[in-house]
Amino acid sequence: EIVMTQSPASLSVSPGERATLSCRASQSVRSNLAWYQQKPGQAPRLLIYGASTRATDVPTRFSGSGSGTEFTLTISSLQSDDFAVYYCQQYIDWPPEFTFGQGTKLEIK
Amino acid sequence: EVQLVQSGAEVKKPGESLVISCLGSGYSFKTNWIGWVRQMPGKGLEWMGIIYPSDTETRYSPSFKGQVTISVDKSLSTAYLQLNSLKASDSAMYFCARSPITMGPGAFDLWGQGTMVTVSS
């Protein structure tokens, strides 16, 4: 099983500042990595797939980078709507399991 | 409108079985993977499995294999998640989600609203 480890577990950032969230895979997932945002009481929302491709209607302040085992989600200028929990997910074809990280809670400072 | 609509909340007793449905509309249901994700109260997302409606190819997480059954009825554009011999620890929110053929199977770009399952005696 590929284990996805996100850091930090929680992050306090002021609106307008930059947030950097990390995700590490226990073995290479190439670029088969997605990022999701989840707000309380809502389903997750896809932000990034293929490690760096923004999903439809995702603001340009969200960007993803990395490949192999190290990945980063950057939110360039935080807005109040961005405070949520963020998950990474690997979806490499083999082994056939598409595990999520444990999440990073982004809080208002 | 492109959407996934799940069946409503359920309250079950230990040992009972349950089937959750997920109806896709507004897109080609057959040619997009449908996956299931569990979220226990206050916890993170757990990938359970995924099915390709066109040929019913199904893949399960080792953590859930043998515990759940994923199926689909193409004629109804509906995917199903069957949970057997329910335990209190199965109490959770269950999401279905679409993974476009261009992404996968892999990233989920469209999600159902979730089905809350409560197992209690």
Side-chain angles (χ1 to χ4, degrees):
Chain A
E1 176 188 351
I2 297 176
V3 178
M4 306 301 292
T5 303
Q6 293 186 238
S7 61
S10 63
L11 184 61
S12 294
V13 183
S14 299
E17 293 189 340
R18 173 189 296 255
T20 302
L21 288 65
S22 297
C23 176
R24 172 177 293 179
S26 61
Q27 63 190 73
S28 177
V29 298
R30 299 195 294 270
S31 294
N32 297 298
L33 192 284
W35 288 95
Y36 300 86
Q37 176 193 68
Q38 188 180 31
K39 298 178 182 177
Q42 296 185 17
R45 172 196 180 196
L46 177 67
L47 297 175
I48 301 286
Y49 65 95
S52 60
T53 302
R54 271 187 299 277
T56 303
D57 295 332
V58 173
T60 56
R61 65 181 181 274
F62 292 92
S63 63
S65 63
S67 66
T69 62
E70 300 284 345
F71 300 90
T72 300
L73 175 70
T74 302
I75 311 171
S76 60
S77 178
L78 279 163
Q79 299 190 5
S80 57
D81 191 49
D82 299 336
F83 294 96
V85 179
Y86 291 83
Y87 295 94
C88 63
Q89 178 212 7
Q90 65 80 15
Y91 52 96
I92 199 167
D93 189 52
W94 188 263
E97 43 188 321
F98 303 149
T99 43
F100 291 92
Q102 82 279 17
T104 291
K105 185 175 184 179
L106 183 57
E107 300 175 306
I108 300 175
K109 189 172 183 180
Chain B
E1 181 183 0
V2 177
Q3 59 182 351
L4 294 172
V5 178
Q6 297 181 225
S7 49
E10 300 270 6
V11 179
K12 291 291 188 181
K13 294 189 183 325
E16 292 185 336
S17 297
L18 169 66
V19 176
I20 302 170
S21 65
C22 172
L23 170 65
S25 60
Y27 72 96
S28 174
F29 182 79
K30 284 192 299 186
T31 57
N32 288 268
W33 293 80
I34 291 284
W36 290 93
V37 175
R38 183 175 79 173
Q39 188 167 38
M40 299 176 74
K43 302 299 183 182
L45 305 173
E46 299 176 89
W47 187 84
M48 302 177 72
I50 199 164
I51 189 166
Y52 189 62
S54 182
D55 62 6
T56 69
E57 177 184 351
T58 309
R59 305 178 185 183
Y60 293 95
S61 163
S63 299
F64 292 94
K65 193 169 187 176
Q67 311 303 312
V68 303
T69 302
I70 295 172
S71 61
V72 67
D73 186 330
K74 290 181 293 186
S75 67
L76 298 178
S77 296
T78 301
Y80 302 96
L81 176 68
Q82 180 174 339
L83 308 173
N84 296 321
S85 301
L86 288 164
K87 305 179 290 291
S89 57
D90 293 317
S91 297
M93 182 73 81
Y94 293 85
F95 293 101
C96 66
R98 179 185 77 172
S99 181
I101 192 68
T102 53
M103 294 183 185
F108 294 125
D109 73 333
L110 177 70
W111 291 70
Q113 82 278 18
T115 296
M116 187 66 214
V117 174
T118 302
V119 183
S120 175
S121 55

